[in-house]
Amino acid sequence: MSAQAPQHTIFISVGSNINREQHIRAGLDAMFAAFGELTLSSVYESKSVGFDGNNFYNLVVQADTALSIPEVVDRLKKIETQNLRTRESKKFAPRTLDLDLLTYDDVIIQTPMELPRPEILYNAFVLQPLAEIAPEVEHPLAKKSYFSLWQQYDKSQQQLWPIKFTWSANRQ
């Protein structure tokens, strides 16, 4: 009998502004295959930030994994590539699927990537869905719950609105 690998709680930001429903569903299917059970926030629509483009659909996903941080990031990049994500030199550009590891337990690192991701604190399309599914969880650096961070957030900066979106891991 082998010892089970420790499980780590991860939060992933999911976004798309090209064939949004198709790519988000495909991304969720692939994340379910990679990580198992997923907890999903509501899906929110928002205007593009940093460039002129179609509106985005965004949500946050919570999962548990025994994978390391580099393995999780590699898996997310593969899912993006499977969904025709192109890697442009421009940071702000349209995308089929954007999957960002937001947190990995309470790990705080600068390399090979920054965790927790800085945009948690300044993008409504990340903070609101995170506060929805993990209201009591504390941000590892801010030491405040996501709920209280969302309560303090200046909501006039970015407008979000929930949309009707359903996904099931068991659909055929």
Side-chain angles (χ1 to χ4, degrees), residues 21-156:
E21 286 203 27
Q22 170 194 332
H23 290 294
I24 287 178
R25 285 184 201 291
L28 292 172
D29 289 343
M31 283 189 286
F32 179 76
F35 305 118
E37 197 62 38
L38 304 175
T39 301
L40 275 53
S41 72
S42 299
V43 175
Y44 294 89
E45 185 171 0
S46 64
K47 295 193 181 316
S48 300
V49 173
F51 68 99
D52 287 330
N54 296 332
N55 286 357
F56 271 85
Y57 282 179
N58 291 96
L59 70 149
V60 169
V61 172
Q62 177 182 350
D64 292 314
T65 185
L67 297 176
S68 68
I69 292 170
E71 289 170 328
V72 170
V73 171
D74 184 58
R75 191 72 52 98
L76 297 177
K77 287 195 180 321
K78 284 184 172 135
I79 294 168
E80 288 176 336
T81 301
Q82 290 165 356
N83 281 275
L84 310 176
R85 167 74 187 268
T86 56
R87 307 265 171 221
E88 297 186 31
S89 56
K90 289 188 293 189
K91 177 179 167 99
F92 299 109
R95 49 201 57 168
T96 56
L97 188 63
D98 188 22
L99 303 176
D100 292 323
L101 179 62
L102 297 171
T103 64
Y104 183 96
D105 292 333
D106 289 331
V107 171
I108 299 170
I109 57 171
Q110 295 299 316
T111 57
M113 62 179 300
E114 192 172 355
L115 288 178
R117 293 282 293 230
E119 61 262 30
I120 292 171
L121 299 175
Y122 60 79
N123 281 331
F125 59 82
V126 176
L127 186 55
Q128 184 173 7
L130 196 50
E132 178 188 323
I133 63 171
E136 303 305 317
V137 174
E138 273 194 2
H139 185 281
L141 288 171
K143 299 294 186 199
K144 293 182 178 176
S145 73
Y146 292 119
F147 177 80
S148 67
L149 288 169
W150 178 242
Q151 292 304 105
Q152 297 165 4
Y153 185 85
D154 177 1
K155 294 168 186 68
S156 68

